[in-house]
mmCIF file of all heavy atoms in Angstrom:
data_model
loop_
_atom_site.group_PDB
_atom_site.id
_atom_site.type_symbol
_atom_site.label_atom_id
_atom_site.label_comp_id
_atom_site.label_asym_id
_atom_site.label_seq_id
_atom_site.Cartn_x
_atom_site.Cartn_y
_atom_site.Cartn_z
ATOM 1 N N LYS A 99 -17.502 26.856 0.164
ATOM 2 C CA LYS A 99 -18.862 26.669 -0.554
ATOM 3 C C LYS A 99 -19.704 25.716 0.319
ATOM 4 O O LYS A 99 -20.875 25.945 0.309
ATOM 5 C CB LYS A 99 -18.633 26.320 -2.000
ATOM 6 C CG LYS A 99 -19.899 26.060 -2.770
ATOM 7 C CD LYS A 99 -20.643 27.396 -2.973
ATOM 8 C CE LYS A 99 -22.004 27.137 -3.701
ATOM 9 N NZ LYS A 99 -21.800 27.286 -5.133
ATOM 10 N N TYR A 102 -22.374 27.223 2.513
ATOM 11 C CA TYR A 102 -23.457 27.684 1.836
ATOM 12 C C TYR A 102 -24.533 26.604 1.862
ATOM 13 O O TYR A 102 -25.664 26.736 1.946
ATOM 14 C CB TYR A 102 -23.251 28.175 0.409
ATOM 15 C CG TYR A 102 -24.446 28.367 -0.445
ATOM 16 C CD1 TYR A 102 -25.233 29.454 -0.221
ATOM 17 C CD2 TYR A 102 -24.798 27.451 -1.475
ATOM 18 C CE1 TYR A 102 -26.452 29.608 -1.051
ATOM 19 C CE2 TYR A 102 -25.923 27.664 -2.258
ATOM 20 C CZ TYR A 102 -26.675 28.736 -1.941
ATOM 21 O OH TYR A 102 -27.784 28.858 -2.762
ATOM 22 N N PHE A 103 -24.101 25.393 1.552
ATOM 23 C CA PHE A 103 -24.982 24.129 1.495
ATOM 24 C C PHE A 103 -25.572 23.841 2.848
ATOM 25 O O PHE A 103 -26.590 23.123 2.957
ATOM 26 C CB PHE A 103 -24.273 22.867 0.926
ATOM 27 C CG PHE A 103 -24.016 23.019 -0.590
ATOM 28 C CD1 PHE A 103 -22.800 23.403 -1.074
ATOM 29 C CD2 PHE A 103 -24.994 22.745 -1.466
ATOM 30 C CE1 PHE A 103 -22.557 23.368 -2.487
ATOM 31 C CE2 PHE A 103 -24.868 22.691 -2.891
ATOM 32 C CZ PHE A 103 -23.549 23.110 -3.230
ATOM 33 N N MET A 108 -33.513 29.362 3.968
ATOM 34 C CA MET A 108 -33.625 29.916 2.625
ATOM 35 C C MET A 108 -33.538 28.824 1.513
ATOM 36 O O MET A 108 -32.863 27.733 1.771
ATOM 37 C CB MET A 108 -32.553 30.987 2.394
ATOM 38 C CG MET A 108 -31.176 30.529 2.354
ATOM 39 S SD MET A 108 -30.033 31.793 1.906
ATOM 40 C CE MET A 108 -30.261 32.070 0.154
ATOM 41 N N ALA A 109 -34.144 29.025 0.400
ATOM 42 C CA ALA A 109 -34.135 28.028 -0.631
ATOM 43 C C ALA A 109 -32.651 28.057 -1.229
ATOM 44 O O ALA A 109 -32.205 29.170 -1.361
ATOM 45 C CB ALA A 109 -35.134 28.340 -1.714
ATOM 46 N N LEU A 110 -32.152 27.010 -1.534
ATOM 47 C CA LEU A 110 -30.902 26.909 -2.240
ATOM 48 C C LEU A 110 -31.179 26.759 -3.750
ATOM 49 O O LEU A 110 -31.684 25.697 -4.142
ATOM 50 C CB LEU A 110 -29.896 25.836 -1.772
ATOM 51 C CG LEU A 110 -29.700 25.824 -0.247
ATOM 52 C CD1 LEU A 110 -28.554 24.779 0.072
ATOM 53 C CD2 LEU A 110 -29.249 27.136 0.310
ATOM 54 N N GLU A 111 -30.855 27.770 -4.538
ATOM 55 C CA GLU A 111 -31.163 27.628 -5.983
ATOM 56 C C GLU A 111 -30.150 27.030 -6.751
ATOM 57 O O GLU A 111 -28.921 27.059 -6.659
ATOM 58 C CB GLU A 111 -31.445 29.154 -6.465
ATOM 59 C CG GLU A 111 -32.603 29.870 -5.868
ATOM 60 C CD GLU A 111 -32.672 31.257 -6.331
ATOM 61 O OE1 GLU A 111 -32.522 31.496 -7.470
ATOM 62 O OE2 GLU A 111 -32.632 32.114 -5.430
ATOM 63 N N GLU A 112 -30.759 26.437 -7.940
ATOM 64 C CA GLU A 112 -29.930 25.559 -8.719
ATOM 65 C C GLU A 112 -28.699 26.311 -9.305
ATOM 66 O O GLU A 112 -27.610 25.752 -9.565
ATOM 67 C CB GLU A 112 -30.779 25.100 -9.907
ATOM 68 C CG GLU A 112 -30.137 23.820 -10.605
ATOM 69 C CD GLU A 112 -31.053 23.461 -11.828
ATOM 70 O OE1 GLU A 112 -32.206 23.717 -11.863
ATOM 71 O OE2 GLU A 112 -30.395 22.834 -12.670
ATOM 72 N N LYS A 113 -28.824 27.610 -9.688
ATOM 73 C CA LYS A 113 -27.727 28.358 -10.239
ATOM 74 C C LYS A 113 -26.620 28.408 -9.218
ATOM 75 O O LYS A 113 -25.438 28.673 -9.598
ATOM 76 C CB LYS A 113 -28.158 29.707 -10.713
ATOM 77 C CG LYS A 113 -28.687 30.622 -9.666
ATOM 78 C CD LYS A 113 -29.140 31.972 -10.304
ATOM 79 C CE LYS A 113 -30.037 32.670 -9.298
ATOM 80 N NZ LYS A 113 -30.781 33.748 -9.836
ATOM 81 N N TYR A 114 -26.732 28.138 -8.016
ATOM 82 C CA TYR A 114 -25.691 28.160 -6.987
ATOM 83 C C TYR A 114 -25.309 26.785 -6.586
ATOM 84 O O TYR A 114 -24.245 26.460 -6.052
ATOM 85 C CB TYR A 114 -26.034 29.000 -5.766
ATOM 86 C CG TYR A 114 -26.545 30.335 -6.037
ATOM 87 C CD1 TYR A 114 -27.858 30.608 -5.712
ATOM 88 C CD2 TYR A 114 -25.756 31.209 -6.700
ATOM 89 C CE1 TYR A 114 -28.309 31.927 -5.940
ATOM 90 C CE2 TYR A 114 -26.193 32.515 -6.992
ATOM 91 C CZ TYR A 114 -27.474 32.875 -6.618
ATOM 92 O OH TYR A 114 -28.008 34.090 -6.917
ATOM 93 N N THR A 115 -26.215 25.822 -6.811
ATOM 94 C CA THR A 115 -26.006 24.390 -6.241
ATOM 95 C C THR A 115 -25.857 23.362 -7.237
ATOM 96 O O THR A 115 -25.409 22.269 -6.828
ATOM 97 C CB THR A 115 -27.151 24.062 -5.483
ATOM 98 O OG1 THR A 115 -28.383 24.040 -6.297
ATOM 99 C CG2 THR A 115 -27.640 24.953 -4.296
ATOM 100 N N GLY A 116 -26.081 23.680 -8.517
ATOM 101 C CA GLY A 116 -26.136 22.421 -9.501
ATOM 102 C C GLY A 116 -27.278 21.646 -8.956
ATOM 103 O O GLY A 116 -28.462 21.957 -8.621
ATOM 104 N N PRO A 117 -27.051 20.248 -9.107
ATOM 105 C CA PRO A 117 -28.095 19.375 -8.710
ATOM 106 C C PRO A 117 -28.603 19.313 -7.320
ATOM 107 O O PRO A 117 -29.630 18.655 -6.971
ATOM 108 C CB PRO A 117 -27.443 17.960 -9.041
ATOM 109 C CG PRO A 117 -26.001 18.220 -8.980
ATOM 110 C CD PRO A 117 -25.776 19.617 -9.377
ATOM 111 N N TYR A 118 -27.954 20.031 -6.432
ATOM 112 C CA TYR A 118 -28.191 19.973 -5.060
ATOM 113 C C TYR A 118 -29.242 21.017 -4.502
ATOM 114 O O TYR A 118 -29.159 21.382 -3.290
ATOM 115 C CB TYR A 118 -27.006 19.965 -4.149
ATOM 116 C CG TYR A 118 -25.977 18.936 -4.622
ATOM 117 C CD1 TYR A 118 -24.844 19.317 -5.266
ATOM 118 C CD2 TYR A 118 -26.133 17.547 -4.285
ATOM 119 C CE1 TYR A 118 -23.901 18.367 -5.712
ATOM 120 C CE2 TYR A 118 -25.200 16.590 -4.569
ATOM 121 C CZ TYR A 118 -24.074 17.024 -5.332
ATOM 122 O OH TYR A 118 -23.186 16.189 -5.797
ATOM 123 N N SER A 119 -30.034 21.616 -5.315
ATOM 124 C CA SER A 119 -30.954 22.677 -4.948
ATOM 125 C C SER A 119 -31.994 22.134 -4.024
ATOM 126 O O SER A 119 -32.265 20.869 -4.043
ATOM 127 C CB SER A 119 -31.660 23.276 -6.104
ATOM 128 O OG SER A 119 -32.397 22.295 -6.847
ATOM 129 N N ARG A 120 -32.543 22.898 -3.096
ATOM 130 C CA ARG A 120 -33.567 22.486 -2.254
ATOM 131 C C ARG A 120 -34.366 23.596 -1.709
ATOM 132 O O ARG A 120 -33.860 24.723 -1.640
ATOM 133 C CB ARG A 120 -32.910 21.659 -1.052
ATOM 134 C CG ARG A 120 -31.947 22.334 -0.302
ATOM 135 C CD ARG A 120 -31.501 21.541 0.965
ATOM 136 N NE ARG A 120 -30.402 22.069 1.630
ATOM 137 C CZ ARG A 120 -30.499 22.921 2.570
ATOM 138 N NH1 ARG A 120 -31.674 23.533 2.940
ATOM 139 N NH2 ARG A 120 -29.418 23.345 3.312
ATOM 140 N N PRO A 121 -35.552 23.299 -1.272
ATOM 141 C CA PRO A 121 -36.558 24.366 -0.779
ATOM 142 C C PRO A 121 -35.969 24.912 0.572
ATOM 143 O O PRO A 121 -35.317 24.291 1.214
ATOM 144 C CB PRO A 121 -37.906 23.755 -0.685
ATOM 145 C CG PRO A 121 -37.796 22.403 -1.299
ATOM 146 C CD PRO A 121 -36.434 22.073 -1.348
ATOM 147 N N ALA A 122 -36.615 26.085 0.921
ATOM 148 C CA ALA A 122 -36.316 26.597 2.348
ATOM 149 C C ALA A 122 -36.784 25.739 3.420
ATOM 150 O O ALA A 122 -37.801 25.020 3.261
ATOM 151 C CB ALA A 122 -36.974 27.951 2.419
ATOM 152 N N ASN A 179 -19.637 31.663 -6.030
ATOM 153 C CA ASN A 179 -21.010 31.444 -6.584
ATOM 154 C C ASN A 179 -22.051 31.174 -5.498
ATOM 155 O O ASN A 179 -22.670 30.168 -5.459
ATOM 156 C CB ASN A 179 -21.041 30.316 -7.667
ATOM 157 C CG ASN A 179 -22.340 30.166 -8.359
ATOM 158 O OD1 ASN A 179 -22.991 31.177 -8.589
ATOM 159 N ND2 ASN A 179 -22.665 28.935 -8.801
ATOM 160 N N ILE A 180 -22.092 32.257 -4.672
ATOM 161 C CA ILE A 180 -23.194 32.224 -3.646
ATOM 162 C C ILE A 180 -24.055 33.392 -3.978
ATOM 163 O O ILE A 180 -23.719 34.294 -4.807
ATOM 164 C CB ILE A 180 -22.717 32.215 -2.247
ATOM 165 C CG1 ILE A 180 -21.770 33.406 -1.989
ATOM 166 C CG2 ILE A 180 -22.038 30.882 -1.874
ATOM 167 C CD1 ILE A 180 -21.190 33.517 -0.542
ATOM 168 N N PRO A 181 -25.402 33.589 -3.537
ATOM 169 C CA PRO A 181 -26.093 34.661 -3.955
ATOM 170 C C PRO A 181 -25.538 36.086 -3.798
ATOM 171 O O PRO A 181 -25.782 36.962 -4.554
ATOM 172 C CB PRO A 181 -27.406 34.545 -3.077
ATOM 173 C CG PRO A 181 -27.374 33.160 -2.623
ATOM 174 C CD PRO A 181 -25.978 32.670 -2.605
#
Side-chain angles (χ1 to χ4, degrees):
K99 177 68 182 268
Y102 167 74
F103 287 101
M108 70 181 276
L110 305 190
E111 294 174 50
E112 200 185 335
K113 59 185 164 193
Y114 309 117
T115 62
Y118 307 105
S119 61
R120 56 175 172 81
N179 187 29
I180 56 178

